[in-house]
Amino acid sequence: MRLKLFLAVALVIAGACDADTFTGDAGGSDTGPDVPAIGGGDGGSADGAIVEAGPKRFCDTVDAQFCADFDIPGDAGAGFEAPTENGGWTLDFQDAQVKSTPVAVEIDTIGDAGGVASMRTLPLSPDASVKSVLVAEADLFLPDAAPATPDVIMVFAAGSLPAQQFLFGLAEQSGLWSLAHITSLVTKPLNPKPATNEWVHAIVSVDMSVSGTVTLEVDSSVGKSFAALSVATIPDGGAPGYLGVIQVGSSDGYDSVANRTFFVDNVTANWQ
């Protein structure tokens, strides 16, 4: 059962019809606001009149400044701007491969065709005093890294969007899973190699100060894999501002050579 992001296709979830809007839902038929509340409260109704029975959604169980589990009936893309898709690359909401039921995001890239399939959150401001470290987490289902992917194929990233993109995250390139800077394509392979073809948990920590660092930790069945980059070594690095953004998906202006499919679920973010 699949919902294309740009099509209104009926999908029955918890008794509701999922017709994702990617817009504000004040007074709308969705069961929650598009921009999740602090504390992971993106699953309650806007007026408090609707109380859903049954197990809690993932975002009802975590304390986060931003949370998206893609499980809001009628608005699976809550908290994200409208996606960008071209070149045959697609982002879908689907229920066949998920970390928390009922829905997760599927990212499909097409071999021998450059394209884009990505969506980003609205800007995330620090929730209290000025802070410079944005920590984003997500559950990811990763295939074996393909040798025939010479370009960086980003799956999940965090950072900010000044004039030049200051985004870092988990990427596939030339048979390795790595921490990558999305603009300069600077990469650092994870050590040890994370397990694949299973759900793993990724944490991206971006210190946006001039002397900051970026770290990526992936927890899988082989244990914890780690990589780090110094912000000072990034061409456009250094204090780009403190409005954060989370990105799911990737883009590649050149042929990606191999067809790739990734899955993303349970995205959270906090300023520290």
Side-chain angles (χ1 to χ4, degrees), residues 34-38 64-68 78-81 120-129 131-137 156-161 167 208 241-247 267-272:
D34 279 331
V35 179
I38 292 174
Q65 184 179 351
F66 172 86
C67 184
F80 286 87
E81 297 180 333
R120 291 172 177 166
T121 62
L122 297 168
L124 305 174
S125 300
D127 60 345
S129 60
K131 301 175 181 179
S132 64
V133 181
L134 179 65
V135 179
E137 304 187 33
F156 169 67
S160 66
L161 290 175
L167 293 175
M208 299 185 192
Y242 297 124
L243 289 178
V245 68
I246 310 301
Q247 176 177 292
V267 175
T268 64
N270 285 291
W271 283 95
Q272 297 181 4

Side-chain angles (χ1 to χ4, degrees), residues 163-244:
Q164 292 177 292
Q165 295 183 350
F166 194 74
L167 293 175
F168 301 82
L170 180 65
E172 177 187 19
Q173 184 185 35
S174 302
L176 295 172
W177 286 105
S178 303
L179 169 62
H181 178 228
I182 201 169
T183 303
S184 69
L185 308 184
V186 172
T187 62
K188 185 69 175 293
L190 283 162
N191 183 35
K193 292 182 179 180
T196 53
N197 297 305
E198 67 179 41
W199 283 99
V200 304
H201 188 71
I203 303 174
V204 180
S205 177
V206 183
D207 185 342
M208 299 185 192
S209 62
V210 174
S211 58
T213 59
V214 180
T215 62
L216 169 63
E217 181 180 292
V218 174
D219 194 2
S220 71
S221 61
V222 303
K224 294 186 183 297
S225 303
F226 185 80
L229 290 170
S230 170
V231 168
T233 67
I234 305 302
D236 62 0
Y242 297 124
L243 289 178

Side-chain angles (χ1 to χ4, degrees), residues 39 75 84 265:
D75 200 0
T84 301
D265 207 352

Side-chain angles (χ1 to χ4, degrees), residues 14 16 28-32 43-53 73:
S29 60
D30 294 352
T31 61
S45 76
D47 57 9
I50 300 175
V51 178
E52 293 187 24

Side-chain angles (χ1 to χ4, degrees), residues 87-113:
W89 293 26
T90 60
L91 281 138
D92 298 332
F93 294 131
Q94 53 78 52
D95 63 358
Q97 182 66 263
V98 301
K99 178 63 176 180
S100 68
T101 57
V103 173
V105 174
E106 177 179 337
I107 306 164
D108 289 294
T109 72
I110 303 300
D112 298 321

